PDB file of all heavy atoms in Angstrom:
ATOM      1  N   GLU A 876     107.224  -8.740  74.025  1.00  0.00           N
ATOM      2  CA  GLU A 876     107.893 -10.014  74.314  1.00  0.00           C
ATOM      3  C   GLU A 876     106.925 -10.953  75.021  1.00  0.00           C
ATOM      4  O   GLU A 876     106.968 -12.175  74.827  1.00  0.00           O
ATOM      5  CB  GLU A 876     109.076  -9.736  75.229  1.00  0.00           C
ATOM      6  CG  GLU A 876     110.068 -10.832  75.295  1.00  0.00           C
ATOM      7  CD  GLU A 876     111.205 -10.586  76.291  1.00  0.00           C
ATOM      8  OE1 GLU A 876     111.443  -9.363  76.640  1.00  0.00           O
ATOM      9  OE2 GLU A 876     111.820 -11.516  76.756  1.00  0.00           O
ATOM     10  N   MET A 877     106.047 -10.373  75.821  1.00  0.00           N
ATOM     11  CA  MET A 877     105.087 -11.202  76.598  1.00  0.00           C
ATOM     12  C   MET A 877     103.737 -11.319  75.875  1.00  0.00           C
ATOM     13  O   MET A 877     103.047 -12.327  75.992  1.00  0.00           O
ATOM     14  CB  MET A 877     104.912 -10.521  77.959  1.00  0.00           C
ATOM     15  CG  MET A 877     104.408 -11.381  79.038  1.00  0.00           C
ATOM     16  SD  MET A 877     105.213 -12.964  79.267  1.00  0.00           S
ATOM     17  CE  MET A 877     106.365 -12.582  80.569  1.00  0.00           C
ATOM     18  N   THR A 878     103.327 -10.282  75.115  1.00  0.00           N
ATOM     19  CA  THR A 878     101.973 -10.289  74.534  1.00  0.00           C
ATOM     20  C   THR A 878     101.978 -10.911  73.121  1.00  0.00           C
ATOM     21  O   THR A 878     100.946 -11.066  72.534  1.00  0.00           O
ATOM     22  CB  THR A 878     101.397  -8.873  74.439  1.00  0.00           C
ATOM     23  OG1 THR A 878     102.304  -8.062  73.699  1.00  0.00           O
ATOM     24  CG2 THR A 878     101.137  -8.274  75.791  1.00  0.00           C
ATOM     25  N   SER A 879     103.154 -11.300  72.623  1.00  0.00           N
ATOM     26  CA  SER A 879     103.166 -11.911  71.284  1.00  0.00           C
ATOM     27  C   SER A 879     103.356 -13.427  71.376  1.00  0.00           C
ATOM     28  O   SER A 879     103.486 -14.096  70.376  1.00  0.00           O
ATOM     29  CB  SER A 879     104.326 -11.312  70.462  1.00  0.00           C
ATOM     30  OG  SER A 879     105.538 -11.533  71.107  1.00  0.00           O
ATOM     31  N   ILE A 880     103.343 -13.963  72.583  1.00  0.00           N
ATOM     32  CA  ILE A 880     103.509 -15.418  72.754  1.00  0.00           C
ATOM     33  C   ILE A 880     102.255 -16.045  73.392  1.00  0.00           C
ATOM     34  O   ILE A 880     101.445 -15.325  73.987  1.00  0.00           O
ATOM     35  CB  ILE A 880     104.765 -15.759  73.612  1.00  0.00           C
ATOM     36  CG1 ILE A 880     104.622 -15.148  75.004  1.00  0.00           C
ATOM     37  CG2 ILE A 880     106.024 -15.311  72.923  1.00  0.00           C
ATOM     38  CD1 ILE A 880     105.648 -15.671  76.043  1.00  0.00           C
ATOM     39  N   LEU A 881     102.190 -17.348  73.323  1.00  0.00           N
ATOM     40  CA  LEU A 881     101.089 -18.101  73.983  1.00  0.00           C
ATOM     41  C   LEU A 881      99.751 -17.478  73.676  1.00  0.00           C
ATOM     42  O   LEU A 881      99.359 -17.257  72.556  1.00  0.00           O
ATOM     43  CB  LEU A 881     101.383 -18.289  75.460  1.00  0.00           C
ATOM     44  CG  LEU A 881     102.740 -18.967  75.809  1.00  0.00           C
ATOM     45  CD1 LEU A 881     103.023 -18.946  77.280  1.00  0.00           C
ATOM     46  CD2 LEU A 881     102.771 -20.415  75.290  1.00  0.00           C
ATOM     47  N   CYS A 882      98.981 -17.121  74.758  1.00  0.00           N
ATOM     48  CA  CYS A 882      97.630 -16.564  74.520  1.00  0.00           C
ATOM     49  C   CYS A 882      97.676 -15.166  73.822  1.00  0.00           C
ATOM     50  O   CYS A 882      96.696 -14.803  73.175  1.00  0.00           O
ATOM     51  CB  CYS A 882      96.886 -16.409  75.845  1.00  0.00           C
ATOM     52  SG  CYS A 882      96.297 -17.988  76.497  1.00  0.00           S
ATOM     53  N   GLY A 883      98.774 -14.464  73.988  1.00  0.00           N
ATOM     54  CA  GLY A 883      98.901 -13.145  73.387  1.00  0.00           C
ATOM     55  C   GLY A 883      98.875 -13.191  71.851  1.00  0.00           C
ATOM     56  O   GLY A 883      98.433 -12.247  71.207  1.00  0.00           O
ATOM     57  N   LYS A 884      99.347 -14.333  71.341  1.00  0.00           N
ATOM     58  CA  LYS A 884      99.424 -14.467  69.872  1.00  0.00           C
ATOM     59  C   LYS A 884      98.024 -14.347  69.228  1.00  0.00           C
ATOM     60  O   LYS A 884      97.837 -13.683  68.228  1.00  0.00           O
ATOM     61  CB  LYS A 884     100.016 -15.817  69.524  1.00  0.00           C
ATOM     62  CG  LYS A 884     101.168 -15.744  68.560  1.00  0.00           C
ATOM     63  CD  LYS A 884     101.690 -17.162  68.326  1.00  0.00           C
ATOM     64  CE  LYS A 884     102.878 -17.084  67.381  1.00  0.00           C
ATOM     65  NZ  LYS A 884     103.523 -18.395  67.309  1.00  0.00           N
ATOM     66  N   PHE A 890      96.156  -8.892  77.234  1.00  0.00           N
ATOM     67  CA  PHE A 890      96.944  -8.645  78.472  1.00  0.00           C
ATOM     68  C   PHE A 890      97.062  -7.165  78.769  1.00  0.00           C
ATOM     69  O   PHE A 890      97.230  -6.795  79.957  1.00  0.00           O
ATOM     70  CB  PHE A 890      98.317  -9.357  78.386  1.00  0.00           C
ATOM     71  CG  PHE A 890      98.171 -10.851  78.468  1.00  0.00           C
ATOM     72  CD1 PHE A 890      98.488 -11.641  77.384  1.00  0.00           C
ATOM     73  CD2 PHE A 890      97.645 -11.449  79.592  1.00  0.00           C
ATOM     74  CE1 PHE A 890      98.295 -13.028  77.430  1.00  0.00           C
ATOM     75  CE2 PHE A 890      97.470 -12.855  79.656  1.00  0.00           C
ATOM     76  CZ  PHE A 890      97.822 -13.625  78.556  1.00  0.00           C
ATOM     77  N   GLY A 912      94.943 -17.125  90.015  1.00  0.00           N
ATOM     78  CA  GLY A 912      95.082 -18.559  89.793  1.00  0.00           C
ATOM     79  C   GLY A 912      96.221 -18.868  88.841  1.00  0.00           C
ATOM     80  O   GLY A 912      96.481 -18.159  87.871  1.00  0.00           O
ATOM     81  N   GLU A 913      96.923 -20.008  89.140  1.00  0.00           N
ATOM     82  CA  GLU A 913      97.945 -20.470  88.196  1.00  0.00           C
ATOM     83  C   GLU A 913      97.347 -20.966  86.911  1.00  0.00           C
ATOM     84  O   GLU A 913      98.061 -21.176  85.920  1.00  0.00           O
ATOM     85  CB  GLU A 913      98.769 -21.599  88.867  1.00  0.00           C
ATOM     86  CG  GLU A 913      99.709 -21.092  89.947  1.00  0.00           C
ATOM     87  CD  GLU A 913     100.581 -22.198  90.500  1.00  0.00           C
ATOM     88  OE1 GLU A 913     100.411 -23.374  90.097  1.00  0.00           O
ATOM     89  OE2 GLU A 913     101.426 -21.854  91.361  1.00  0.00           O
ATOM     90  N   LYS A 914      96.038 -21.212  86.917  1.00  0.00           N
ATOM     91  CA  LYS A 914      95.333 -21.641  85.682  1.00  0.00           C
ATOM     92  C   LYS A 914      95.662 -20.679  84.544  1.00  0.00           C
ATOM     93  O   LYS A 914      95.847 -21.082  83.409  1.00  0.00           O
ATOM     94  CB  LYS A 914      93.830 -21.662  85.994  1.00  0.00           C
ATOM     95  CG  LYS A 914      92.915 -21.463  84.826  1.00  0.00           C
ATOM     96  CD  LYS A 914      92.462 -22.766  84.296  1.00  0.00           C
ATOM     97  CE  LYS A 914      91.478 -22.681  83.148  1.00  0.00           C
ATOM     98  NZ  LYS A 914      91.089 -21.407  82.676  1.00  0.00           N
ATOM     99  N   ASP A 915      95.709 -19.363  84.865  1.00  0.00           N
ATOM    100  CA  ASP A 915      96.055 -18.338  83.863  1.00  0.00           C
ATOM    101  C   ASP A 915      97.497 -17.930  84.113  1.00  0.00           C
ATOM    102  O   ASP A 915      97.748 -16.860  84.642  1.00  0.00           O
ATOM    103  CB  ASP A 915      95.078 -17.135  83.986  1.00  0.00           C
ATOM    104  CG  ASP A 915      93.646 -17.588  83.810  1.00  0.00           C
ATOM    105  OD1 ASP A 915      93.210 -17.706  82.647  1.00  0.00           O
ATOM    106  OD2 ASP A 915      92.952 -17.862  84.811  1.00  0.00           O
ATOM    107  N   TYR A 916      98.407 -18.843  83.755  1.00  0.00           N
ATOM    108  CA  TYR A 916      99.810 -18.677  84.216  1.00  0.00           C
ATOM    109  C   TYR A 916     100.503 -17.469  83.593  1.00  0.00           C
ATOM    110  O   TYR A 916     101.250 -16.760  84.211  1.00  0.00           O
ATOM    111  CB  TYR A 916     100.620 -19.957  83.910  1.00  0.00           C
ATOM    112  CG  TYR A 916     101.742 -20.070  84.883  1.00  0.00           C
ATOM    113  CD1 TYR A 916     101.564 -20.682  86.116  1.00  0.00           C
ATOM    114  CD2 TYR A 916     102.988 -19.491  84.584  1.00  0.00           C
ATOM    115  CE1 TYR A 916     102.605 -20.747  87.022  1.00  0.00           C
ATOM    116  CE2 TYR A 916     104.017 -19.591  85.514  1.00  0.00           C
ATOM    117  CZ  TYR A 916     103.809 -20.202  86.748  1.00  0.00           C
ATOM    118  OH  TYR A 916     104.838 -20.227  87.620  1.00  0.00           O
ATOM    119  N   GLN A 917     100.183 -17.229  82.292  1.00  0.00           N
ATOM    120  CA  GLN A 917     100.776 -16.086  81.612  1.00  0.00           C
ATOM    121  C   GLN A 917     100.291 -14.764  82.276  1.00  0.00           C
ATOM    122  O   GLN A 917     101.050 -13.834  82.468  1.00  0.00           O
ATOM    123  CB  GLN A 917     100.397 -16.105  80.115  1.00  0.00           C
ATOM    124  CG  GLN A 917     101.159 -15.110  79.298  1.00  0.00           C
ATOM    125  CD  GLN A 917     100.865 -15.295  77.805  1.00  0.00           C
ATOM    126  OE1 GLN A 917      99.951 -16.029  77.419  1.00  0.00           O
ATOM    127  NE2 GLN A 917     101.607 -14.608  76.948  1.00  0.00           N
ATOM    128  N   GLN A 918      99.000 -14.757  82.603  1.00  0.00           N
ATOM    129  CA  GLN A 918      98.436 -13.604  83.307  1.00  0.00           C
ATOM    130  C   GLN A 918      99.119 -13.361  84.668  1.00  0.00           C
ATOM    131  O   GLN A 918      99.498 -12.228  85.001  1.00  0.00           O
ATOM    132  CB  GLN A 918      96.947 -13.841  83.513  1.00  0.00           C
ATOM    133  CG  GLN A 918      96.251 -12.855  84.455  1.00  0.00           C
ATOM    134  CD  GLN A 918      94.759 -13.080  84.511  1.00  0.00           C
ATOM    135  OE1 GLN A 918      94.047 -12.777  83.597  1.00  0.00           O
ATOM    136  NE2 GLN A 918      94.303 -13.697  85.623  1.00  0.00           N
ATOM    137  N   LEU A 919      99.277 -14.466  85.414  1.00  0.00           N
ATOM    138  CA  LEU A 919      99.949 -14.364  86.727  1.00  0.00           C
ATOM    139  C   LEU A 919     101.369 -13.835  86.595  1.00  0.00           C
ATOM    140  O   LEU A 919     101.802 -12.966  87.350  1.00  0.00           O
ATOM    141  CB  LEU A 919      99.919 -15.745  87.382  1.00  0.00           C
ATOM    142  CG  LEU A 919     100.636 -15.924  88.696  1.00  0.00           C
ATOM    143  CD1 LEU A 919     100.040 -15.037  89.803  1.00  0.00           C
ATOM    144  CD2 LEU A 919     100.616 -17.407  89.177  1.00  0.00           C
ATOM    145  N   THR A 920     102.082 -14.315  85.572  1.00  0.00           N
ATOM    146  CA  THR A 920     103.456 -13.879  85.350  1.00  0.00           C
ATOM    147  C   THR A 920     103.485 -12.375  85.053  1.00  0.00           C
ATOM    148  O   THR A 920     104.326 -11.635  85.547  1.00  0.00           O
ATOM    149  CB  THR A 920     104.085 -14.693  84.167  1.00  0.00           C
ATOM    150  OG1 THR A 920     103.942 -16.080  84.425  1.00  0.00           O
ATOM    151  CG2 THR A 920     105.531 -14.342  83.949  1.00  0.00           C
ATOM    152  N   ILE A 921     102.554 -11.928  84.186  1.00  0.00           N
ATOM    153  CA  ILE A 921     102.529 -10.515  83.771  1.00  0.00           C
ATOM    154  C   ILE A 921     102.167  -9.656  84.990  1.00  0.00           C
ATOM    155  O   ILE A 921     102.791  -8.589  85.187  1.00  0.00           O
ATOM    156  CB  ILE A 921     101.544 -10.314  82.606  1.00  0.00           C
ATOM    157  CG1 ILE A 921     102.122 -10.967  81.331  1.00  0.00           C
ATOM    158  CG2 ILE A 921     101.239  -8.835  82.376  1.00  0.00           C
ATOM    159  CD1 ILE A 921     101.138 -11.082  80.162  1.00  0.00           C
ATOM    160  N   ILE A 922     101.199 -10.090  85.802  1.00  0.00           N
ATOM    161  CA  ILE A 922     100.786  -9.298  86.920  1.00  0.00           C
ATOM    162  C   ILE A 922     101.904  -9.189  87.968  1.00  0.00           C
ATOM    163  O   ILE A 922     102.198  -8.081  88.505  1.00  0.00           O
ATOM    164  CB  ILE A 922      99.514  -9.880  87.558  1.00  0.00           C
ATOM    165  CG1 ILE A 922      98.341  -9.620  86.602  1.00  0.00           C
ATOM    166  CG2 ILE A 922      99.217  -9.252  88.929  1.00  0.00           C
ATOM    167  CD1 ILE A 922      97.078 -10.352  86.947  1.00  0.00           C
ATOM    168  N   TYR A1012      97.883 -23.574  70.625  1.00  0.00           N
ATOM    169  CA  TYR A1012      99.301 -23.807  70.873  1.00  0.00           C
ATOM    170  C   TYR A1012      99.503 -24.929  71.889  1.00  0.00           C
ATOM    171  O   TYR A1012      98.589 -25.158  72.737  1.00  0.00           O
ATOM    172  CB  TYR A1012     100.040 -22.535  71.327  1.00  0.00           C
ATOM    173  CG  TYR A1012      99.536 -21.938  72.631  1.00  0.00           C
ATOM    174  CD1 TYR A1012      99.904 -22.485  73.874  1.00  0.00           C
ATOM    175  CD2 TYR A1012      98.686 -20.862  72.626  1.00  0.00           C
ATOM    176  CE1 TYR A1012      99.429 -21.939  75.045  1.00  0.00           C
ATOM    177  CE2 TYR A1012      98.166 -20.286  73.822  1.00  0.00           C
ATOM    178  CZ  TYR A1012      98.611 -20.876  75.024  1.00  0.00           C
ATOM    179  OH  TYR A1012      98.112 -20.340  76.197  1.00  0.00           O
ATOM    180  N   LEU A1021     108.794 -17.556  81.020  1.00  0.00           N
ATOM    181  CA  LEU A1021     108.051 -18.008  79.848  1.00  0.00           C
ATOM    182  C   LEU A1021     108.892 -18.039  78.561  1.00  0.00           C
ATOM    183  O   LEU A1021     108.332 -18.093  77.454  1.00  0.00           O
ATOM    184  CB  LEU A1021     106.791 -17.159  79.618  1.00  0.00           C
ATOM    185  CG  LEU A1021     105.829 -16.890  80.786  1.00  0.00           C
ATOM    186  CD1 LEU A1021     104.522 -16.326  80.299  1.00  0.00           C
ATOM    187  CD2 LEU A1021     105.566 -18.178  81.592  1.00  0.00           C
ATOM    188  N   PHE A1034     102.412 -25.337  78.408  1.00  0.00           N
ATOM    189  CA  PHE A1034     101.315 -24.351  78.220  1.00  0.00           C
ATOM    190  C   PHE A1034     100.514 -24.786  77.007  1.00  0.00           C
ATOM    191  O   PHE A1034     101.059 -25.048  75.927  1.00  0.00           O
ATOM    192  CB  PHE A1034     101.881 -22.966  77.960  1.00  0.00           C
ATOM    193  CG  PHE A1034     102.687 -22.395  79.096  1.00  0.00           C
ATOM    194  CD1 PHE A1034     104.071 -22.686  79.185  1.00  0.00           C
ATOM    195  CD2 PHE A1034     102.096 -21.630  80.085  1.00  0.00           C
ATOM    196  CE1 PHE A1034     104.810 -22.154  80.231  1.00  0.00           C
ATOM    197  CE2 PHE A1034     102.838 -21.116  81.122  1.00  0.00           C
ATOM    198  CZ  PHE A1034     104.185 -21.396  81.193  1.00  0.00           C
ATOM    199  N   ILE A1045      92.221 -23.302  78.168  1.00  0.00           N
ATOM    200  CA  ILE A1045      93.677 -23.187  78.394  1.00  0.00           C
ATOM    201  C   ILE A1045      94.075 -24.015  79.637  1.00  0.00           C
ATOM    202  O   ILE A1045      93.225 -24.233  80.527  1.00  0.00           O
ATOM    203  CB  ILE A1045      94.160 -21.728  78.535  1.00  0.00           C
ATOM    204  CG1 ILE A1045      93.537 -21.044  79.780  1.00  0.00           C
ATOM    205  CG2 ILE A1045      93.889 -20.939  77.311  1.00  0.00           C
ATOM    206  CD1 ILE A1045      94.199 -19.733  80.104  1.00  0.00           C
ATOM    207  N   ASN A1047      97.923 -25.451  81.947  1.00  0.00           N
ATOM    208  CA  ASN A1047      99.402 -25.517  81.981  1.00  0.00           C
ATOM    209  C   ASN A1047      99.793 -26.496  83.100  1.00  0.00           C
ATOM    210  O   ASN A1047      98.974 -26.788  84.008  1.00  0.00           O
ATOM    211  CB  ASN A1047      99.994 -24.101  82.246  1.00  0.00           C
ATOM    212  CG  ASN A1047      99.627 -23.542  83.607  1.00  0.00           C
ATOM    213  OD1 ASN A1047     100.319 -23.815  84.576  1.00  0.00           O
ATOM    214  ND2 ASN A1047      98.498 -22.828  83.666  1.00  0.00           N
TER     215      ASN A1047
END
Side-chain angles (χ1 to χ4, degrees):
E876 198 185 337
M877 201 50 97
T878 56
S879 59
I880 60 167
L881 302 174
C882 285
K884 231 179 182 173
F890 291 113
E913 287 186 355
K914 153 96 179 359
D915 301 278
Y916 207 87
Q917 190 174 10
Q918 168 176 286
L919 175 62
T920 306
I921 290 169
I922 289 168
Y1012 61 79
L1021 310 193
F1034 296 88
I1045 63 168
N1047 66 88

